[in-house]
Structure formats: C-alpha cells, structure tokens
Amino acid sequence: MFYRESGDFKTSYIQDQQIFPILQDRVFVTVIIAFAFLVVPFLINDYWEKSVLLPVLIWSLAAIGLNILTGYCGQVSLGTGGFMAVGAYASYKFTTAFPELNLFIVVLLSGGVTAMVGILFGLPSLRIKGFYLAVATLASQFFLVWLFNKVPWFYNYSASGQINAPERLIAGIAVTGPNAPPWATYLFCLVFVVVFALVAKNLTRGRFGRSWMAIRDMDIAAEIIGVAPLKAKLSAFSISSFYIGIAGALFFLVYLGAVEPTEAFGIDKSFLVLFMIIIGGLGSILGSFIGAAFMFLMPVLIKNILVNGLGWSPDIVAHLILMIVGGLIMFFLIVEPHGLAQLWRVTKEKLRLWPFPH
Amino acid sequence: MQDTVKEDDILLEVRNISLSFGGVRALENISFDIRKGEVRAIIGPNGAGKSSMLNVINGFYHPQEGEIWFDGKRRHHMKPHQVAKLGIARTFQNIALFKGMSTLDNLMTGRYIKMRANLFSQMVWVGPAQREEVEHRQRVEEIIDFLKIQSIRKTPVGKLPYGMQKRVELGRALAAESKLLLLDEPMAGMNLEEKEDMCRFVLDVNEQFGTTIALIEHDMGVVMDISNRVVVLDYGKKLADGSPDEVRNNEKVIDAYLGVSHD
Ligand SMILES: Nc1ncnc2c1ncn2[C@@H]1O[C@H](COP(=O)(O)OP(=O)(O)OP(=O)(O)O)[C@@H](O)[C@H]1O
Ligand SMILES: [Mg+2]
C-alpha cells in the first residue's frame, strides 16, 4: 500500500484535525472495523476466542488506560494489576447484588468505581514524581490485592476465596459463564474496545489531552498557561483507571470466568501492561493496540514455533522469551520511546515520499 | 511622576516586596508599577533578582512581605494557574516548551484557559468540542502567521533550533491573549538577526495587540530601543526607575551594572 498525500489536500481545519488525516488510513481502519464486526463473529471458534481475540482486546483496553496516565500525562504507574482487580471485584459485586442489571451497565459502573479508587491512589502524584510515584503505585498494587484476599465481603464469603462469574444474558444470549458462545463474548468486548478507543483518541487530541501532555513535558510551563496540576493529574488518574477497571471487569467476567486475585491481578500484570505501552509506543492509542498484540502474541508465536515445531525444551524457550522482551524494552526505551507505532509512522512517511525521497 | 498617573492607568503594581530563600535575600522591599500598554524593562546584573520578581508576579514564589495589585485589585495568595486566568502570561529564561508536541500543539495548549468544552463533549468530539477546536485553531493560525512560523507548524519543537524555540515560546504566551506578558530574557543567546526579529515581534505585539509587556533583558541597546520605562535591580534592591535616558545616566546604575567604579 502506497501512501499518497498528493490529491488529498486539506481544505479545512476539521479535515486537518481528523484522527486519520490520510485517506488510505481511513479506508484501512474502516475496513478492519467492519471486518471485526461483520466477518469475525462468523469465523470465530473457541481457540481464537480464548487464545487470541479476547486477551488482545482486553489487554489493549488496559494498555490504552495506562497509556493515558503514563504515555500522555507522564505519571508512571505500577498499579495496573491492582486497578484491574478493582474493576473485576466491582463487577462481581454489582452483578451478584443486582442480577437483573444489564451487563454493559455493570462493566461501566465497575469502570466508574475504579476511576474513584484511581483518584484516591493518584493523590500522592501531587507531591511526588517519577521513581517515587512508581513505588507509591506499587504499594497500591500490593494493598489492593491483599484487600481482595483478606476481606470476605469482596468475594461474597465464598469458601474458596475465589470469585466466579455467574451466567448473565444480553438479549437472551449468554455473555458470561460456560455457555456463552465465542462470538457473543467477542462482540461484547469489541464494542467496549472500539467505543473507548475512539473516546480515548478524542480526549487525547483535545483540551484534556493537551493539558496532560503539558504536565508530562514541562509542569511549570503547564501551570503558567493555566493548567491546574491537581486537575490534570487526577483526571488522568481517574480516566486511566476507568479504562483499566473496564479491562479488569471484562478480564474476569468474560475471559477468565473465575478469579483468584494474587494470580490473576499480580504485579506481573502491572509490568506486562507497562511493557505493552513501552514497546507499542508511549503516548499513542494505536501503539497501545500494537503493544498489547505484540506482547501477548509474540510469546505464543515463539512457543509454537520452537516448542511445538522444533521440539525445544519449554524451559529454554520461556527464558528466551524473557530475554527477548527485556532486550526489546531496553531498545525502545533508549532508541525509540515512541515504540512500534513510531516505527510504523516513519515507514509510512517514507512510503509516502517513495520513490523520490527528496 | 507617580502622582501624574491616574490610578486606572496602572495594570500591575508591586509594593514593598521582600523575598528570601533561607539566608539569601533575593528581593528587598521592591516597589514599582507597570502601566497599561507600556513596555517595561527590568534590568540588573546576574543574580539581581529579576527572574525572582517575575516568579513572584506569576505566583511561583510567594514573598514574605509586600502586596501585589493587578487591574486595580489587591491580589492575594495565588497559584500560577490562577494567575494565568487573571490574564498574565510569560516565557522563561530557559526554554520551557512542551517538547513532545508540535509547534501547533504548543500554541493550542497555550489557549487552554480560553477553551471550555467539558469532558463529555470532548469524548464525543463531533459537536461543541470540534467547533471549539476549529475556532481556536483559527486564532492560533493568526499567531503562526504573525510570527512567521508557518513552515514549522507540524514540527516537534524539540527538533527546532534555539532561536525558533524562543519564538514558539513567545507564540505560546501570545496564544493566551493575556493583558500582561512577562518575557524573561527573550533574546538571550540569539544572533543579531534573530534579536532584531524578536525586537520587532515584541514591539508589534505591544502596538498591534495593545498588550502590556514587562521584559528582562541584558542587552542594553535593546532595552534602550524598545522600552518605555526601566527598573534596575541589584542584589535584590531597587537601584533606579525611570525612562531609558534617566536610567542610563544614573550613576548608581553605571557603577553597579557596568561594574566600573565611578570617581
Ligand atoms: N528557588 C530558589 N531557591 C534558592 N535561591 C534562589 C531561588 N531562586 C532564586 N534564588 C536566588 O535568588 C537570587 C536572585 O536570582 P534570580 O534568578 O532572580 O536572578 P536574575 O536577576 O534573574 O539573574 P540572571 O540574570 O542570572 O538570570 C540568586 O541569588 C539566586 O541564587
Ligand atoms: Mg534570571
């Protein structure tokens, strides 16, 4: 696909402010979304649902959430796993307390609860920055997981200490529980991801996004143009947590179905999402998708090739994957903080001018 | 001199400002005023307290003593973002641009206080948020034309040469359409040509938009050329205050500023 800007002149600021200013991009994205909604549901099976599509969709949402906070507003957080747990437990409490409540509303409310918890744990960011803030959010990670393990009210006093997603229907079709068909769980997640990716794009290209980036790039200059650090940071924390809470709720309700907090929402999840946005691209919604897909699928792919294909020992492959991820993280942090999304942009830039680079 | 000026001709007045950091007395009992529509220069040797004075005016530093009056009202303890809403914009001595953003986005961000769209309309975009975005984009484009930075509109500011960055920072301050513009050494480190351009812009802003300007500058030639009145600081104290000619011929100023003993 060649990118051509010629013949695609922008005649108004509205056109210049589009999410995808280049025609080919617009067509491409429209086709992908149409394909995702109209074709994939007919092709999907259990394997694709559980091993590829649901996790990539849900992690993308979590990555967008963390990217809003870290990539756009510059506040490093290691609490993602804990905030996902808040979303999961909130959805569990809502749907068990009000079984008739529509599942869309349950998930949105869970996001809302997580947003409020996010504000609370975001308060230290008004005093501390960078490494120290990361440590503070790490504390919230451990505190939240501990809380959901320790207080029986959160898991409705179940003997196992686990939470289980009860079957819930939307328009007569099961979306949670063992009887939910793959296309239903997939579409349920897809709606959230598409709608909230668009919302994130809108927020980040407007006044809110600019106030976050201003705080990220130069907080004293942000203040002198009238950005209140309190408002900017806490709005980033709450909106970011809203996304992560929704991701946590979906992760529990439609993907895992049963959850034990230490295992499902441990510190490894916080790092996973952080790696996703570093590799995908800090401060990029597209990068959140690329990073989530890459971080989730790359290990699967390598494992398939090396263990199943070439018969390597799984242990060695697991270590190899860790080394690859570590190497990539260092590469992107040092060489290209804007991640794979930026590499894609640069390639496009080159294609656009091709074959006359000057 | 003060007496001949009507009260409502004064945009900003600082009265008996004293500021110290631990043992360092950065400002001692400083008073001066800035009249509507003038270019007011603040000069003095390194460490005199000039930047500290601007930091007091826009709320970064809170003086231990003294009063600040803006637009006829006594201003109480305020944070910088509140001061911005009153109508005071500034640039920094060391460039403080948003380096992850393009020139255009830096200027759009400069209009933050002028924009109103709430969270919900921002999320939906189509409608009020988009209308507002276009409206403000038009104003920003006017500033881009004014500063002749059309060609770097979409360039990330981190990639711009120093002189251009200074110009973009002026643009960002202009974008707020404030009443008072504080410029901390806008021409420092520039070559002659860039300096001349910047002088022109400062004068044009003052004349065309009627913006009141207070600027810190080391280049005496520039100060004499473009300012209406000059206040001289030295070691936190006010040495002199008056027209460029008065200040230039003031013996205390010659001693302190040029560092030559007078005999
Ligand atoms: N935040 C601070 N903490 C401690 N001391 C400070 C602080 N800000 C300024 N000072 C001190 O106050 C004095 C005045 O500094 P200021 O930056 O206002 O000088 P200046 O006139 O702007 O100098 P220059 O021409 O070098 O920019 C200096 O002695 C400086 O060390
Ligand atoms: Mg200074």
Side-chain angles (χ1 to χ4, degrees):
Chain A
M1 180 168 20
F2 296 134
Y3 282 89
R4 286 274 177 273
E5 225 171 1
S6 40
D8 192 21
F9 290 115
K10 289 145 199 102
T11 48
S12 76
Y13 296 137
I14 292 193
Q15 282 176 321
D16 196 36
Q17 288 162 355
Q18 292 177 106
I19 298 180
F20 299 106
I22 301 170
L23 181 67
Q24 281 94 330
D25 278 345
R26 277 202 300 282
V27 174
F28 184 61
V29 169
T30 314
V31 168
I32 286 193
I33 292 178
F35 184 80
F37 273 104
L38 302 176
V39 181
V40 174
F42 294 101
L43 305 177
I44 194 169
N45 58 22
D46 255 356
Y47 175 79
W48 277 90
E49 180 215 14
K50 286 280 189 267
S51 304
V52 179
L53 293 171
L54 286 196
V56 169
L57 285 175
I58 293 169
W59 287 122
S60 298
L61 209 49
I64 293 174
L66 185 63
N67 223 334
I68 286 175
L69 183 65
T70 304
Y72 284 94
C73 196
Q75 313 296 304
V76 182
S77 165
L78 290 174
T80 312
F83 291 128
M84 284 180 78
V86 173
Y89 278 78
S91 70
Y92 177 68
K93 291 303 288 184
F94 279 123
T95 199
T96 49
F98 310 100
E100 297 305 314
L101 197 60
N102 182 295
L103 212 55
F104 279 107
I105 301 192
V106 167
V107 172
L108 290 176
L109 285 176
S110 309
V113 169
T114 318
M116 282 185 278
V117 175
I119 292 180
L120 196 66
F121 285 102
L123 285 173
S125 70
L126 305 174
R127 293 264 151 201
I128 54 180
K129 292 181 193 175
F131 175 71
Y132 298 96
L133 180 63
V135 172
T137 57
L138 191 63
S140 68
Q141 161 75 38
F142 286 112
F143 170 75
L144 288 167
V145 169
W146 173 84
L147 188 72
F148 294 126
N149 267 319
K150 268 285 172 278
V151 181
W153 180 81
F154 286 114
Y155 48 85
N156 286 358
Y157 307 94
S158 79
S160 63
Q162 282 199 345
I163 56 173
N164 290 287
E167 182 170 276
R168 293 287 178 259
L169 313 179
I170 293 175
I173 295 149
V175 179
T176 61
N179 299 323
W183 62 267
T185 56
Y186 163 76
L187 279 181
F188 186 66
C189 291
L190 186 66
V191 168
F192 279 104
V193 171
V194 170
V195 169
F196 282 105
L198 187 66
V199 166
K201 193 69 211 181
N202 288 343
L203 284 177
T204 51
R205 65 180 161 155
R207 186 170 79 102
F208 269 79
R210 286 192 295 263
S211 76
W212 295 333
M213 290 186 274
I215 290 285
R216 172 195 70 190
D217 284 349
M218 187 60 76
D219 51 2
I220 52 162
E223 277 189 78
I224 56 116
I225 58 164
V227 175
L230 177 92
K231 216 172 131 191
K233 286 181 184 174
L234 291 189
S235 67
F237 261 98
S238 66
I239 291 168
S240 156
S241 306
F242 178 81
Y243 277 76
I244 293 170
I246 288 183
L250 294 174
F251 197 60
F252 158 64
L253 287 172
V254 298
Y255 181 60
L256 293 179
V259 151
E260 198 280 314
T262 321
E263 201 188 315
F265 301 115
I267 178 73
D268 54 319
K269 298 301 190 296
S270 301
F271 278 110
L272 178 67
V273 182
L274 187 62
F275 293 165
M276 285 172 178
I277 65 171
I278 292 173
I279 289 182
L282 291 168
S284 159
I285 302 297
L286 176 69
S288 311
F289 282 99
I290 300 177
F294 184 85
M295 278 300 290
F296 189 78
L297 296 180
M298 185 265 303
V300 177
L301 196 71
I302 294 183
K303 224 180 284 168
N304 270 339
I305 295 173
L306 295 182
V307 179
N308 303 344
L310 301 176
W312 288 31
S313 123
D315 284 359
I316 294 185
V317 174
H319 285 123
L320 187 70
I321 290 171
L322 275 181
M323 283 167 60
I324 294 176
V325 170
L328 283 172
I329 299 280
M330 283 196 281
F331 170 79
F332 280 113
L333 278 181
I334 295 166
V335 181
E336 186 50 85
H338 297 292
L340 289 169
Q342 178 68 9
L343 295 183
W344 167 234
R345 224 170 285 142
V346 171
T347 316
K348 254 170 33 174
E349 242 10 76
K350 298 220 164 103
L351 280 179
R352 203 193 284 178
L353 299 171
W354 189 89
F356 306 111
H358 295 291
Chain B
M1 175 120 186
Q2 298 269 3
D3 302 344
T4 62
V5 180
K6 285 208 309 293
E7 266 292 291
D8 54 33
D9 281 347
I10 293 172
L11 182 59
L12 179 121
E13 186 180 359
V14 292
R15 290 185 193 162
N16 311 107
I17 296 283
S18 293
L19 171 77
S20 53
F21 301 99
V24 182
R25 303 210 64 181
L27 297 170
E28 283 179 55
N29 200 23
I30 306 285
S31 305
F32 65 90
D33 59 19
I34 300 172
R35 291 182 203 147
K36 282 182 187 160
E38 77 172 338
V39 176
R40 184 73 144 129
I42 303 173
I43 65 170
N46 289 331
K50 308 180 292 298
S51 296
S52 299
M53 194 63 236
L54 292 198
N55 285 334
V56 165
I57 294 176
N58 78 225
F60 275 119
Y61 294 166
H62 300 287
Q64 282 81 9
E65 280 163 52
E67 298 174 2
I68 301 169
W69 290 69
F70 185 71
D71 232 359
K73 284 194 236 24
R74 166 112 192 247
R75 203 183 89 189
H76 293 277
H77 191 98
M78 267 192 179
K79 299 218 169 83
H81 67 267
Q82 297 167 317
V83 174
K85 291 192 180 79
L86 283 184
I88 299 181
R90 81 172 273 190
T91 64
F92 290 87
Q93 185 168 355
N94 306 310
I95 294 167
L97 284 171
F98 306 126
K99 49 183 189 323
M101 300 188 213
S102 65
T103 300
L104 179 63
D105 280 336
N106 267 276
L107 267 58
M108 287 294 283
T109 313
R111 291 190 69 78
Y112 180 78
I113 50 169
K114 300 261 163 200
M115 300 181 84
R116 293 276 167 274
N118 60 24
L119 182 64
F120 185 74
S121 55
Q122 286 278 305
M123 288 164 66
V124 179
W125 191 258
V126 180
Q130 188 177 48
R131 269 200 302 279
E132 186 178 64
E133 198 79 5
V134 170
E135 190 185 304
H136 288 269
R137 173 72 185 273
Q138 272 154 359
R139 307 309 304 274
V140 163
E141 288 293 338
E142 285 165 23
I143 295 168
I144 287 177
D145 289 343
F146 172 80
L147 292 175
K148 303 189 178 68
I149 48 178
Q150 296 92 338
S151 60
I152 56 164
R153 194 188 271 122
K154 298 276 172 90
T155 315
V157 291
K159 291 197 178 136
L160 296 173
Y162 177 84
M164 271 299 158
Q165 294 196 11
K166 282 258 179 200
R167 200 185 286 192
V168 174
E169 200 180 354
L170 174 66
R172 184 181 67 192
L174 290 179
E177 294 179 32
S178 54
K179 294 178 193 154
L180 175 62
L181 190 57
L182 309 172
L183 305 175
D184 196 343
E185 306 199 14
M187 294 145 211
M190 287 187 163
N191 63 34
L192 197 61
E193 195 187 336
E194 289 170 329
K195 259 187 197 179
E196 279 172 1
D197 283 344
M198 189 55 92
C199 280
R200 198 65 254 155
F201 290 135
V202 170
L203 284 175
D204 284 350
V205 167
N206 181 246
E207 280 158 23
Q208 291 179 22
F209 308 150
T211 310
T212 307
I213 294 174
L215 90 164
I216 296 175
E217 185 48 56
H218 278 294
D219 186 324
M220 285 305 259
V222 169
V223 170
M224 298 305 153
D225 276 355
I226 68 175
S227 56
N228 301 99
R229 290 192 302 155
V230 183
V231 55
V232 188
L233 302 183
D234 185 28
Y235 288 112
K237 294 197 180 66
K238 184 164 108 169
L239 272 195
D241 188 353
S243 71
D245 276 334
E246 285 165 3
V247 165
R248 185 173 22 207
N249 298 322
N250 183 314
E251 285 177 10
K252 278 198 283 186
V253 176
I254 295 170
D255 288 353
Y257 204 76
L258 302 176
V260 285
S261 61
H262 187 84
D263 42 27

